[in-house]
C-alpha cells in the first residue's frame, strides 16, 4: 500500500512506440526522447532510449550526470577515463560525467539503451528485479520504465505496460512497493 503525506499527482505514461525517433548526425543510431523536464528547450531531466547501430563516441553534455543501461542486445564496451566498462542487459546502470569523452563499441550487434541525464548528484537509476520498497521525498521526479514485462506501481491503476515510461513529480513524501520481473526505477531531486 502506498502512503502519502500530501496528494500525489497521477502517473504520466509515455509509450515508446508513440515517440518519434531522431536520427543521430553521425548516422550511428537514433534516439527517442521520452521526457525532457520541465521543458524540451530548457530541460533539467532527460530520459531517452537510444538504438545504437554502430560504434562511435557519445555526445558530450557538460555539467550533466548521465546514467546508462542496456535494454536489448549483447551489450556495449564504454571506454571513459581510461577504463572500459562492459555492460549488458544484466548490468547495473552506469553513472558518469556527461562531459567526459566516451567511446562506445558494440559487443555483438546493435543495442537498445536507456539514458537518464540530470544535474550532478541529484539522480539515481536502479535496475530492479522482482520488487523494491521505495520512499520518495518531496519535490522528487520519479520514473519507471517497463521494457519487456508489465510493472506494478503505487497509485497506478492496473499495470504499466511493457515498453512504457511512467513518471510524475511528487509534491510531498510518499512510499510504496514497486513490483516487476525487471524494470528501471529513477529518482531525481527536482
Amino acid at each position: 500500500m502506498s502512503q502519502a503525506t500530501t496528494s500525489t499527482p497521477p502517473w504520466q505514461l509515455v509509450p515508446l512506440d508513440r515517440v518519434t525517433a531522431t536520427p543521430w548526425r553521425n548516422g550511428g543510431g537514433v534516439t527517442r526522447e521520452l521526457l525532457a523536464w520541465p521543458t524540451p528547450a530548457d530541460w533539467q531531466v532527460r530520459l531517452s532510449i537510444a538504438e545504437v547501430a554502430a560504434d562511435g563516441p557519445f555526445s558530450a553534455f557538460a555539467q550533466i550526470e548521465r546514467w546508462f543501461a542496456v535494454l536489448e542486445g549483447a551489450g556495449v564496451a564504454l571506454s571513459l577515463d581510461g577504463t572500459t566498462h562492459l555492460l549488458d542487459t544484466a548490468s547495473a546502470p552506469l553513472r558518469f560525467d556527461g562531459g567526459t569523452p566516451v567511446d562506445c563499441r558494440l559487443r555483438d550487434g546493435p543495442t537498445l539503451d536507456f539514458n537518464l541525464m540530470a544535474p550532478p548528484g541529484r539522480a539515481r537509476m536502479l535496475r530492479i528485479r522482482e520488487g523494491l520498497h521505495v520512499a520518495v521525498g518531496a519535490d522528487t521526479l520519479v520514473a519507471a520504465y517497463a521494457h519487456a514485462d508489465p510493472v506494478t506501481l503505487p497509485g497506478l491503476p492496473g499495470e504499466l505496460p511493457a515498453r512504457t515510461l511512467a513518471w510524475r513529480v511528487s509534491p510531498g513524501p510518499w512510499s510504496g512497493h514497486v513490483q516487476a520481473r525487471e524494470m528501471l526505477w529513477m529518482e531525481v531531486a527536482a
Side-chain angles (χ1 to χ4, degrees):
M1 283 291 173
S2 177
Q3 297 181 352
T5 57
T6 60
S7 176
T8 304
W11 291 98
Q12 304 297 310
L13 304 184
V14 183
L16 180 61
D17 64 1
R18 292 192 187 162
V19 179
T20 302
T22 303
W24 298 349
R25 283 184 283 230
N26 68 9
V30 299
T31 296
R32 285 181 168 81
E33 185 175 84
L34 302 174
L35 175 65
W37 183 88
T39 68
D42 190 29
W43 59 265
Q44 292 295 305
V45 178
R46 183 174 182 244
L47 305 176
S48 63
I49 291 184
E51 295 175 29
V52 182
D55 297 344
F58 277 13
S59 298
F61 288 89
Q63 300 178 343
I64 290 294
E65 183 175 80
R66 291 182 73 161
W67 292 78
F68 177 91
V70 176
L71 298 171
E72 289 179 10
V76 298
L78 296 185
S79 298
L80 62 143
D81 292 332
T83 302
T84 298
H85 303 270
L86 301 178
L87 303 169
D88 60 24
T89 57
S91 303
L94 178 66
R95 177 181 67 173
F96 57 94
D97 181 333
T100 299
V102 176
D103 184 58
C104 177
R105 297 283 172 238
L106 298 171
R107 293 174 69 187
D108 188 17
T111 64
L112 191 67
D113 308 304
F114 197 97
N115 292 278
L116 160 61
M117 297 184 211
R122 292 185 33 202
R124 75 175 184 150
M125 182 194 310
L126 303 170
R127 188 184 300 269
I128 297 173
R129 291 181 175 86
E130 301 306 324
L132 177 73
H133 181 78
V134 294
V136 177
D139 299 320
T140 301
L141 185 146
V142 293
Y145 181 72
H147 186 64
D149 298 299
V151 170
T152 302
L153 298 173
L156 180 68
E159 291 182 313
L160 176 64
R163 300 177 75 82
T164 303
L165 175 78
W167 71 275
R168 66 184 179 189
V169 177
S170 177
W174 62 271
S175 64
H177 191 77
V178 296
Q179 185 68 40
R181 207 172 92 155
E182 183 175 354
M183 68 177 286
L184 294 174
W185 175 259
M186 294 146 280
E187 298 173 10
V188 183

